[in-house]
């Protein structure tokens, strides 16, 4: 908040006016913009940043972060590349580089990271903290810029309020003055007066100081424990904890005579409907798919599918039917898409049959021939046209027209 960035911009304008630089542009970056987090890439990124600022002012804010006390090598890599760039003829005397940051941290950067960096920094400009007089002058200018009349407040009283801000913790110079002036504007608006009063200035200062005060530490509650009960005069056996168990019994709906020897393990029927339909050939042709769609229209799996699942997965007919029922809805949707798309594809073929016999694009019959050579989808379903490609009858696999496996 001491004006480092503002001064850097003015330097760009000054050097352009003096003919030192061809441009007044100021390229502002931070230390994190020079690294990537990966060893071997920081040097390239650093060089790219310098290339973008050649002929202008490069302002590296918070440059002290290039010193990493944990020893991560990509920060060191960035600094080493900066030292190299500053001596190259392509960059020498062709740009101005400004390293900005807090004085103490910047000194550590110059002393510890690379000895060559310090020798290449020709000038060090120190920006001291604003005192209360400086803060009052800046505040007066900012308030006038907000079209607030500050003439009723004597400058010495304004400086006295500014002294309170300067003495507060974590004094941030210009940033704190800007926050103070914004709060003064709020106080004036609350009072309905465009003329700044001492009360408004004082209330605004109180507000900013209260925000900067450290938060009160939260003390954990003190629990007074009576530990006397933990010391027993006699040996005692601890009783096991009492646990309330809510037991629910699901009766087997198919066990009418009640002489079952107990419920068996639940069978897993996930994917059984698609598996059985494929094995029975329901995906082999549009007619077969239509027949299967008619068969499951009632919401129940066909008898031959149930029999097939009984053979491959086990269980009893009722359990198989219950396990397949939740899969029917999604399967019906896939079948409808397959049948409708196939019908639209045939209609499109009829419309486009005389379009361009010399076209280099594969015809649908040629693509189908390639797909037949490749075989069915991994689940055994045949392919059908959908959008810009082909989907299997089960609905879970898709190949685009320009897929290399079709074009090769």
């Amino acid at each position: 908040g001491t004006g480092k960035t503002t001064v850097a911009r003015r330097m760009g304008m000054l050097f352009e006016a003096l003919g030192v630089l061809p441009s007044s542009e100021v390229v502002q970056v931070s230390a994190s913009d020079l690294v990537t987090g990966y060893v071997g890439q920081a040097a390239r990124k650093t060089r790219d940043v310098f290339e973008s600022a050649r002929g202008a002012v490069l302002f590296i804010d918070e440059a002290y972060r290039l010193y990493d006390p944990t020893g991560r090598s990509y920060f060191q890599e960035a600094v080493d590349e900066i030292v190299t760039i500053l001596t190259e003829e392509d960059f020498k005397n062709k740009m101005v580089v400004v390293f900005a940051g807090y004085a103490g941290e910047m000194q550590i950067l110059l002393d510890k990271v690379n000895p060559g960096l310090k020798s290449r920094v020709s000038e060090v400009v120190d920006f001291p903290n604003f005192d209360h007089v400086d803060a009052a002058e800046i505040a007066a200018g900012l308030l006038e810029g907000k079209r607030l009349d500050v003439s009723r407040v004597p400058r010495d009283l304004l400086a006295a309020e500014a002294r309170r801000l300067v003495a507060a913790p974590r004094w941030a110079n210009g940033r704190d003055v800007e926050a103070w002036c914004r709060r003064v504007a709020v106080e004036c608006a609350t009072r309905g007066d465009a003329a700044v009063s001492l009360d408004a200035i004082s209330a605004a200062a109180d507000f900013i100081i209260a925000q900067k005060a450290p938060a009160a530490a939260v003390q954990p509650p003190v629990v007074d424990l009576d530990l006397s009960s933990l010391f027993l005069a006699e040996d005692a056996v601890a009783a096991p904890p009492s646990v309330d168990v809510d037991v629910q019994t699901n009766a087997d709906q198919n066990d009418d005579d009640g002489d079952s020897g107990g419920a068996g393990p639940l069978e897993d029927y996930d994917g059984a409907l698609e598996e059985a339909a494929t094995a029975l050939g329901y995906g082999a042709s549009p007619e077969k798919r239509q027949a299967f769609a008619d068969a499951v229209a009632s919401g129940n799996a066909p008898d031959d599918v149930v029999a097939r699942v009984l053979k491959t997965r086990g269980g009893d007919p009722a359990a198989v039917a219950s396990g397949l029922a939740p899969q029917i809805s999604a399967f019906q949707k896939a079948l409808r898409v397959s049948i409708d798309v196939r019908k639209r594809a045939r209609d499109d073929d009829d419309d486009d049959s005389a379009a361009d016999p010399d076209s280099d694009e594969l015809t649908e019959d040629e693509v189908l021939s390639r797909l037949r050579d490749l075989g069915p989808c991994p689940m055994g379903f045949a392919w059908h046209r959908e959008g810009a490609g082909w989907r299997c009858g089960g609905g879970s696999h898709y190949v685009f027209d320009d897929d290399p496996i079709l074009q090769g």
Side-chain angles (χ1 to χ4, degrees):
T2 54
K4 297 185 296 296
T5 306
T6 302
V7 171
R9 294 194 183 99
R10 298 295 187 272
M11 288 174 63
M13 299 169 61
L14 174 63
F15 289 141
E16 182 194 31
L18 294 175
V20 177
L21 294 176
S23 170
S24 64
E25 180 186 6
V26 176
V27 178
Q28 182 174 350
V29 298
S30 65
S32 59
D33 294 322
L34 304 179
V35 298
T36 64
Y38 297 95
V39 176
Q41 298 180 6
R44 178 68 264 174
K45 189 171 184 182
T46 300
R47 184 168 289 271
D48 289 343
V49 170
F50 272 72
E51 287 280 2
S52 69
R54 187 157 50 176
V57 175
L58 176 61
F59 182 81
I60 305 177
D61 199 10
E62 299 178 339
Y64 54 83
R65 290 167 52 196
L66 290 170
Y67 168 64
D68 184 13
T70 63
R72 286 176 289 186
S73 58
Y74 41 84
F75 284 99
Q76 181 70 49
E77 183 183 347
V79 175
D80 294 344
E81 186 69 13
I82 290 173
V83 172
T84 301
I85 290 173
L86 292 178
T87 57
E88 291 181 1
E89 291 299 325
D90 290 343
F91 295 92
K92 190 175 181 181
N93 298 325
K94 294 181 176 66
M95 64 187 302
V96 174
V97 182
V98 179
F99 300 93
Y102 299 114
E105 286 85 347
M106 292 299 297
Q107 192 61 49
I108 294 174
L109 171 70
L110 295 175
D111 291 340
K112 293 188 175 182
V113 178
N114 187 315
L117 180 62
K118 188 173 185 178
S119 64
R120 286 163 176 80
V121 176
S122 58
E123 297 290 341
V124 176
V125 180
D126 184 39
F127 288 76
N129 289 325
F130 297 153
D131 60 17
H132 62 285
V133 177
D134 298 327
E137 289 293 332
I138 296 172
L142 291 175
L143 291 173
E144 290 172 358
K146 296 178 182 293
R147 298 184 179 180
L148 295 174
D149 182 12
V150 72
S151 61
R152 293 197 309 185
V153 179
R155 197 55 54 90
D156 59 337
L157 295 181
L158 183 61
E161 293 296 329
R163 187 191 295 273
R164 296 171 55 208
L165 282 179
V166 173
R170 301 184 301 278
W171 167 236
N173 296 288
R175 285 191 292 272
D176 278 354
V177 175
E178 288 181 346
W180 182 29
C181 292
R182 286 195 298 269
R183 188 62 195 181
V184 170
V186 172
E187 295 291 338
C188 290
T190 303
R191 292 165 170 77
D193 191 355
V196 179
S197 65
L198 182 59
D199 288 342
I201 288 178
S202 180
D206 290 339
F207 179 85
I208 300 300
I209 293 172
Q211 283 191 322
K212 295 169 69 67
V218 178
Q219 297 294 333
V222 179
V223 181
D224 186 14
L225 295 177
D226 182 7
L227 302 180
S228 60
S229 61
L230 298 180
F231 300 93
L232 304 177
E234 300 178 0
D235 293 338
V237 178
S242 175
V243 179
D244 294 331
V245 180
D246 184 12
V247 180
Q248 295 181 351
T249 304
N250 296 325
D252 187 355
Q253 296 178 353
N254 300 306
D255 189 8
D256 296 334
D257 56 6
D259 59 357
S260 173
L266 295 176
E267 298 292 344
D268 180 12
Y269 297 113
D270 287 345
L273 181 63
E274 182 177 0
E275 179 185 304
T278 302
L280 294 171
Y282 280 114
S285 67
E287 293 76 16
K288 288 277 191 179
R289 286 192 289 274
Q290 184 61 57
F292 189 80
D294 296 338
V296 297
S298 63
N300 298 316
D303 292 340
D304 57 344
V305 172
V306 173
R308 176 74 184 183
V309 176
L310 279 172
K311 181 179 178 181
T312 58
R313 300 287 185 99
D316 60 76
V320 170
S322 298
L324 297 180
Q327 306 174 38
I328 291 176
S329 176
F331 210 79
Q332 283 178 309
K333 185 180 298 184
L335 285 172
R336 284 196 299 270
V337 170
S338 172
I339 295 168
D340 292 345
V341 170
R342 172 67 68 172
K343 182 177 182 301
R344 288 197 301 270
R346 285 200 300 267
D347 294 342
D348 292 341
D349 287 344
D350 294 340
D351 295 338
D352 300 337
S353 58
D356 185 8
D358 297 328
S359 174
D360 293 335
E361 296 182 359
L362 294 176
T363 65
E364 182 170 321
D365 289 338
E366 289 173 331
V367 173
L368 280 173
S369 176
R370 297 277 177 89
L371 288 171
R372 277 195 294 270
D373 293 339
L374 293 172
C377 78
M379 294 304 298
F381 278 90
W383 301 93
H384 62 266
R385 165 68 73 181
E386 180 176 327
W390 301 81
R391 187 174 294 283
C392 70
S396 55
H397 301 96
Y398 190 86
V399 178
F400 286 96
D401 284 336
D402 57 354
D403 193 293
I405 66 172
L406 299 180
Q407 302 296 325

